[in-house]
Amino acid sequence: NAGVTQTPKFQVLKTGQSMTLQCAQDMNHEYMSWYRQDPGMGLRLIHYSVGAGITDQGEVPNGYNVSRSTTEDFPLRLLSAAPSQTSVYFCASFGQGKAGYTFGSGTRLTVV
Amino acid sequence: GEDVEQSLFLSVREGDSSVINCTYTDSSSTYLYWYKQEPGAGLQLLTYIFSNMDMKQDQRLTVLLNKKDKHLSLRIADTQTGDSAIYFCAERGTGGYQKVTFGIGTKLQVIP
């Protein structure tokens, strides 16, 4: 039981490049979310999904896309990277009957 | 929208008790959480309290909830150097599992 797995752990992108941050969970959780963590700003919700095929925007969705084709996977796509997207990204999942989110270990992204 | 506030930094001596405080604005909060984040890692659910409780104890951890004042605290007894981390307060309202609002985190420094 691996929990929530994020890849890669570190990434450097050039401005304008695109990439996908991967997230997978093996706990059969319905709910999955992407957060970004910035100094002095805590965690901000980017996108979330309440089940396969259903996604919605969070607090800071601009510049990011998501899809949820399976219960297990919830990738986050950066369409055209900007320096303002330099951050630590966390994927988290939440299952019925559970009290709180289970977090992945994060992806540290730097856009130059 | 909902807001969660907590102080940025707390320093204590090893063996003393630590008290981390948090205030929130959502009067419809159902669960209130404390997450711990160690350097380079994701957030780990430390403990939580349901909104109809006023206290929860779990080994060295005591959570106090004052619902009237919307104030949550986490007390760590006999603080150890391994407790050094960032502690996030979070609240979940009635808007669904994804509606979890996090504070900016309190960095706890334990001095040997």
Side-chain angles (χ1 to χ4, degrees), chain B residues 7-92:
Chain B
S7 54
L8 287 177
F9 189 76
L10 177 66
S11 180
V12 298
R13 292 207 173 273
E14 189 175 18
D16 288 349
S17 291
S18 309
V19 179
I20 303 172
N21 294 300
C22 166
T23 58
Y24 60 97
T25 59
D26 187 359
S27 57
S28 66
S29 293
T30 54
Y31 283 90
L32 293 121
Y33 305 97
W34 286 104
Y35 281 85
K36 178 183 181 182
Q37 184 183 32
E38 296 181 349
L43 278 71
Q44 174 191 1
L45 181 61
L46 198 58
T47 187
Y48 65 93
I49 188 167
F50 194 56
S51 59
N52 67 355
M53 299 168 64
D54 51 22
M55 187 182 89
K56 180 179 181 181
Q57 191 148 2
D58 184 1
Q59 299 182 334
R60 292 190 298 119
L61 306 178
T62 303
V63 178
L64 294 177
L65 174 61
N66 181 328
K67 199 171 180 182
K68 173 176 169 289
D69 294 336
K70 299 191 185 67
H71 182 269
L72 183 74
S73 67
L74 173 69
R75 179 177 180 269
I76 305 173
D78 186 25
T79 311
Q80 303 297 307
T81 54
D83 295 323
S84 293
I86 300 175
Y87 291 81
F88 289 89
C89 173
E91 66 90 17
R92 174 177 142 197

Side-chain angles (χ1 to χ4, degrees), chain A residues 31 37 90 94 99 101 103, chain B residues 33 35 37 88 92 97-98:
Chain A
Y31 304 91
Q37 183 181 24
F90 289 103
F94 202 137
Y101 274 110
F103 280 82
Chain B
Y33 305 97
Y35 281 85
Q37 184 183 32
F88 289 89
R92 174 177 142 197
Y97 290 99
Q98 72 282 359

Side-chain angles (χ1 to χ4, degrees), chain A residues 37-82:
Chain A
Q37 183 181 24
D38 301 291
M41 303 193 75
L43 278 81
R44 293 182 291 170
L45 181 65
I46 305 171
H47 285 285
Y48 63 93
S49 168
V50 300
I54 307 169
T55 64
D56 206 345
Q57 297 181 349
E59 182 185 353
V60 288
N62 292 342
Y64 307 95
N65 271 356
V66 291
S67 60
R68 184 99 179 267
S69 56
T70 66
T71 300
E72 294 78 19
D73 298 300
F74 191 42
L76 177 73
R77 279 182 289 278
L78 278 72
L79 309 172
S80 177

Side-chain angles (χ1 to χ4, degrees), chain A residues 8-57:
Chain A
K9 291 192 182 304
F10 300 94
Q11 183 70 50
V12 179
L13 286 180
K14 293 183 179 177
T15 297
Q17 286 185 318
S18 63
M19 80 159 293
T20 299
L21 308 187
Q22 302 292 343
C23 175
Q25 53 95 4
D26 61 359
M27 298 170 286
N28 203 33
H29 286 174
E30 300 90 349
Y31 304 91
M32 297 186 74
S33 299
W34 277 102
Y35 288 88
R36 58 177 289 173
Q37 183 181 24
D38 301 291
M41 303 193 75
L43 278 81
R44 293 182 291 170
L45 181 65
I46 305 171
H47 285 285
Y48 63 93
S49 168
V50 300
I54 307 169
T55 64
D56 206 345
Q57 297 181 349

